[in-house]
Amino acid sequence: MNNTIQYKGYVGSVEFSEEDGIFFGKVMGIRSLISYEGESAKELLNDFHDAVDTYLEHCKEEGKKPELAFKGSFNIRLSPALHKKLFLYATAHQMSINQYIEDTLEASPASKLVI
């Protein structure tokens, strides 16, 4: 079973409450809380779609830009020693640390995922 669902560029979690007998989740990667639930996978998916559509409509009515989950930037924490090594390597190869990291991640198995 996949533990995420996607709709209109948003990714939602999929969880199950044995106690309540329902599937539930929330849109991930944004500050706004967008949650949904259903007693079946079909109900969960429909409620997810409705929740995203409602969020987008609400933003439109309020004249606000909807949050985007994947803007292309994120913070990463690493040791000062590794930070220095990345800087020295990138500089020696006439590239920025960002470019080095992007190139490295682009070559990783995660970049091969089909979305």
Side-chain angles (χ1 to χ4, degrees), residues 8-78:
K8 293 188 176 179
Y10 293 92
V11 177
S13 62
V14 176
E15 300 185 51
F16 180 72
S17 169
E18 187 174 354
E19 182 179 322
D20 299 322
I22 61 164
F23 293 97
F24 66 96
K26 67 178 183 174
V27 173
M28 300 183 297
I30 63 174
R31 289 187 192 117
S32 297
L33 176 59
I34 304 173
S35 60
Y36 43 88
E37 64 181 46
E39 292 185 4
S40 68
K42 184 175 175 67
E43 282 184 19
L44 177 78
L45 196 56
N46 288 339
D47 201 40
F48 171 58
H49 290 183
D50 289 345
V52 169
D53 288 338
T54 299
Y55 169 71
L56 294 172
E57 185 59 35
H58 175 73
C59 288
K60 185 177 179 181
E61 289 170 3
E62 296 287 317
K64 296 190 316 189
K65 245 185 157 172
E67 291 180 73
L68 299 176
F70 305 101
K71 296 172 264 202
S73 68
F74 62 94
N75 291 327
I76 182 170
R77 291 171 189 77
L78 37 95

